[in-house]
Amino acid sequence: MPDSRPAYFAWFILPALFLAAALTASLASLLQFGFREHIPGSLQVGGFTLGNFGRMGEWVYLRVFLDSLLLSGCTAVGNLLLGYPLAYALVRSDSKLLKSTILVTTIVPMFTGDIVRTYSWLVVLGKNGFINGTLKSAGLIDTPLELLYTPLGVLIALVQYSLPVMVVILAAAISHIDVAYEKAAASLGASPLSVLWNVTLPLSMPGILSGTVTIFAWTLSAFATPQLVGGGKVNMISNMVYQLGFSNFDFPFAAVLSMVALVLVFLLLYFMALGMRRLERVGLH
Amino acid sequence: MRARDKALRFLYGLLIAVTLVYVTLPSVVVIITAFSDKALLMFPPTGFSLKWFERAIGYDDFRKGLANGLIITAWASTIALVCGTLAAFVIERFEFAGKRTLEAVLLSPLVIPHFTLGVAMLILASEINMSRTFTLVVICHVILVLPFVMRAVYVSLRNIDPALERAAASLGASPLTVFLRIDLPLLAPGLAGGWLFAAILSFNEFTATLFVTGQRTQTLPVAMYTYVREYADPTMAAISSMLIAATVLFLVAANRWLGLERILSIQQAR
């Protein structure tokens, strides 16, 4: 690599420096707002205070955080249970048709926007939606099931929302595993289930760890899904932030909640990095 | 033993089939609903009609949102492409003080929740009297999609043989000429992939955009969100179907043109 900097160096780096400065400045003003007093009914903020951080301890807000963590955790586990078989089939299946079906169903949702994907669930889960309509015409139920605006409905939508990302992460991990290990175990008499449990799963630990944590952090940042499918009855951090900002104009407290969410996500990813390093030291990758 | 293996294989197949249905079901149901003739969301539909497509195409807020969105996407993805390429090139090829910090800041939007960034940009903008401007939305989108452009450039840069650069330099090309005549053409396919990726992300971005747009600057996803909150008719299903169809066409074209592996490698590269 050349080390002496050419004349164009400054011009190349300048636009990126500006963007980095804008991003840093916005996060700094977020921090600054967290320490300002909210004046009810006004967009102006008052003097410096620590009160916004104290309000974090109120049960309403603590509950939103606990709900968000719980929903994110369930989403991550659900993703692992559904995503692993799919990723495994994507990498190891002999059928080209199955592989391309999985690839297409995985990739297309990744590129259709949040709103389209979330709205679709309203049509599926609604009172007269697909599930209730089908069950009713089959004569299985008389009164529609409550799915929309419930934690279960939000969870169903959240898992589907993040599954493509999980499949991509897991498929990358599984494709790094040498098939020879699995074949050796099988030829020594291990049943398919035992091969999966004792060979493939342990070897895909790095993917499982990074996939689960990534989905957990990702879901913690979700907004559109809980906003529309939760309909104000199931609130995650993002929905609280939006409501505080645009209904109450309480931007100082919204800023505090946004920062706490950011710190949570960073902590999660930090612990994931620590975990990955340990796995590497064990020599699994 | 064999019977058990067969049963396991069957269960495995069933699980995959059910998961695939679960992932695709919403899109299929939305497309069917879009052709319904009733004003209420109802399943199964009782008749066939195209009126919701007519309404979606004629709806003013969607038209304005689409126009705004395309303008913002064009600016944001192109600015991100230029800034990201230059920055990624310099970061990959040279050592300088603060390089790691700069890179970490530029890549951080990958993990910052979009609502956090939205609130932060909104607060900053209101402090410097820039709220509700197009510039704000564009800058916000550039920051959000920049990491993907940089990844695309990193992936392609690592595939360039440094011997080519050295050969050009030893034949008397200035550093800038080496960049323009050697690196840039070799990077072109990767850059196209990064630009496409950035454009799709910017066009679809909803969360941060909802915070930083106003009535005048709203993009299509924001206009659609407002519509869902006000009306319950299948107009949304119609526009969603059109967007799903457009996404599929776009991906087919991207696959032909660039190969999906390249696009997925942008999604994945760290």
Side-chain angles (χ1 to χ4, degrees):
Chain A
M1 295 292 123
D3 343 78
S4 62
R5 284 180 224 162
Y8 62 67
F9 179 84
W11 295 106
F12 273 34
I13 204 73
L14 220 55
L17 279 178
F18 169 75
L19 289 171
L23 176 57
T24 316
S26 72
L27 291 176
S29 49
L30 188 74
L31 181 68
Q32 190 257 112
F33 245 59
F35 290 100
R36 302 295 283 272
E37 216 169 324
H38 167 54
I39 303 170
S42 156
L43 275 171
Q44 300 294 317
V45 286
F48 283 88
T49 170
L50 285 173
N52 296 318
F53 290 89
R55 278 177 73 192
M56 271 297 304
E58 285 174 33
W59 176 237
V60 206
Y61 304 114
L62 272 182
R63 233 203 97 174
V64 170
F65 269 89
L66 290 177
D67 283 353
S68 305
L69 289 171
L70 192 64
L71 270 171
S72 305
C74 292
T75 305
V77 172
N79 259 293
L80 187 61
L81 294 178
L82 295 181
Y84 197 88
L86 220 52
Y88 190 81
L90 178 63
V91 178
R92 292 280 196 257
S93 169
D94 301 319
S95 153
K96 260 216 141 121
L97 179 71
L98 180 63
K99 276 189 174 187
S100 45
T101 311
I102 295 176
L103 201 62
V104 169
T105 45
T106 310
I107 288 176
V108 173
M110 238 153 48
F111 292 92
T112 30
D114 286 11
I115 284 294
V116 172
R117 301 188 61 195
T118 304
Y119 170 76
S120 308
W121 278 108
L122 299 185
V123 186
V124 174
L125 300 172
K127 252 204 170 77
N128 299 307
F130 173 78
I131 292 180
N132 280 319
T134 312
L135 289 178
K136 226 189 256 175
S137 42
L140 290 171
I141 51 165
D142 297 321
T143 46
L145 302 173
E146 293 286 338
L147 292 167
L148 215 52
Y149 316 137
T150 65
L152 178 66
V154 175
L155 182 65
I156 292 174
L158 280 174
V159 172
Q160 191 256 4
Y161 179 70
S162 38
L163 199 58
V165 177
M166 186 61 149
V167 171
V168 169
I169 296 175
L170 286 177
I174 295 172
S175 66
H176 279 140
I177 302 173
D178 194 339
V179 200
Y181 292 126
E182 291 162 55
K183 284 198 175 136
S187 73
L188 290 171
S191 71
L193 211 55
S194 156
V195 173
L196 176 72
W197 190 253
N198 293 312
V199 179
T200 320
L201 273 180
L203 284 174
S204 27
M205 255 346 252
I208 292 176
L209 177 67
S210 79
T212 316
V213 180
T214 304
I215 299 300
F216 193 102
W218 215 49
T219 310
L220 216 49
S221 328
F223 173 70
T225 308
Q227 183 80 4
L228 285 173
V229 181
K233 299 218 174 91
V234 183
N235 283 314
M236 293 181 66
I237 310 169
S238 56
N239 312 116
M240 210 54 175
V241 167
Y242 184 71
Q243 196 186 321
L244 281 169
F246 289 91
S247 303
N248 309 356
F249 299 114
D250 188 352
F251 277 101
F253 191 47
V256 169
L257 290 187
S258 313
M259 267 185 296
V260 177
L262 181 65
V263 171
L264 267 178
V265 169
F266 276 170
L267 277 178
L268 273 169
L269 296 175
Y270 173 71
F271 285 122
M272 178 179 95
L274 282 188
M276 291 298 270
R277 216 167 297 155
R278 280 188 76 163
L279 280 181
E280 261 164 38
R281 222 176 299 141
V282 181
L284 276 175
H285 210 247
Chain B
M1 191 66 196
R2 282 211 67 90
R4 221 187 74 177
D5 282 2
K6 254 190 189 156
L8 272 178
R9 192 160 276 275
F10 176 74
L11 275 179
Y12 175 54
L14 190 71
L15 180 60
I16 287 177
V18 169
T19 313
L20 285 177
V21 170
Y22 165 59
V23 177
T24 27
L25 182 79
S27 313
V28 175
V29 170
V30 156
I31 293 170
I32 296 173
T33 312
F35 294 99
S36 149
D37 65 341
K38 291 266 157 49
L40 268 177
L41 285 183
M42 247 208 261
F43 213 92
T46 46
F48 175 89
S49 126
L50 286 175
K51 61 182 171 194
W52 306 116
F53 284 92
E54 272 170 49
R55 182 166 152 77
I57 292 170
Y59 190 65
D60 252 1
D61 278 11
F62 288 170
R63 284 170 162 249
K64 258 184 60 193
L66 179 66
N68 284 345
L70 289 176
I71 294 169
I72 289 165
T73 295
W75 278 108
S77 56
T78 310
I79 294 174
L81 179 70
V82 176
C83 300
T85 307
L86 299 181
F89 182 80
V90 169
I91 288 174
E92 177 76 16
R93 287 285 196 263
F94 304 103
E95 287 303 325
F96 54 93
K99 171 167 127 166
R100 291 286 147 229
T101 315
L102 177 67
E103 191 186 18
V105 172
L106 292 177
L107 291 180
S108 68
L110 288 173
V111 292
I112 296 179
H114 283 199
F115 67 89
T116 302
L117 193 70
V119 178
M121 293 297 288
L122 179 64
I123 291 175
L124 176 68
S126 73
E127 295 209 320
I128 55 176
N129 278 324
M130 262 183 58
S131 37
R132 298 198 182 82
T133 60
F134 276 100
T135 318
L136 168 65
V137 189
V138 171
I139 292 179
C140 184
H141 278 207
V142 170
I143 288 175
L144 280 172
V145 302
L146 192 76
F148 295 95
V149 175
M150 290 177 60
R151 279 177 176 184
V153 179
Y154 284 150
V155 172
S156 314
L157 264 181
R158 281 171 201 150
N159 290 327
I160 295 182
D161 187 351
L164 292 171
E165 295 173 12
R166 280 200 300 270
S170 73
L171 290 170
S174 74
L176 190 61
T177 312
V178 174
F179 175 73
L180 291 176
R181 304 285 296 271
I182 306 293
D183 292 302
L184 217 47
L186 288 169
L187 286 175
L191 295 184
W195 183 72
L196 199 67
F197 207 95
I200 297 176
L201 286 180
S202 159
F203 184 78
N204 284 326
E205 210 293 326
F206 166 66
T207 306
T209 314
L210 182 66
F211 282 93
V212 295
T213 49
Q215 182 69 30
R216 196 174 61 90
T217 52
Q218 70 176 352
T219 60
L220 187 56
V222 176
M224 287 168 70
Y225 171 75
T226 315
Y227 194 92
V228 191
R229 304 229 92 180
E230 286 174 22
Y231 308 96
D233 63 40
T235 308
M236 265 298 285
I239 192 156
S240 299
S241 310
M242 289 190 274
L243 288 174
I244 292 171
T247 308
V248 172
L249 287 179
F250 214 70
L251 285 174
V252 170
N255 186 27
R256 278 277 163 81
W257 184 33
L258 296 160
L260 278 180
E261 282 78 21
R262 192 190 296 278
I263 294 182
L264 277 184
S265 72
I266 300 170
Q267 171 82 24
Q268 265 200 300
R270 295 260 158 185

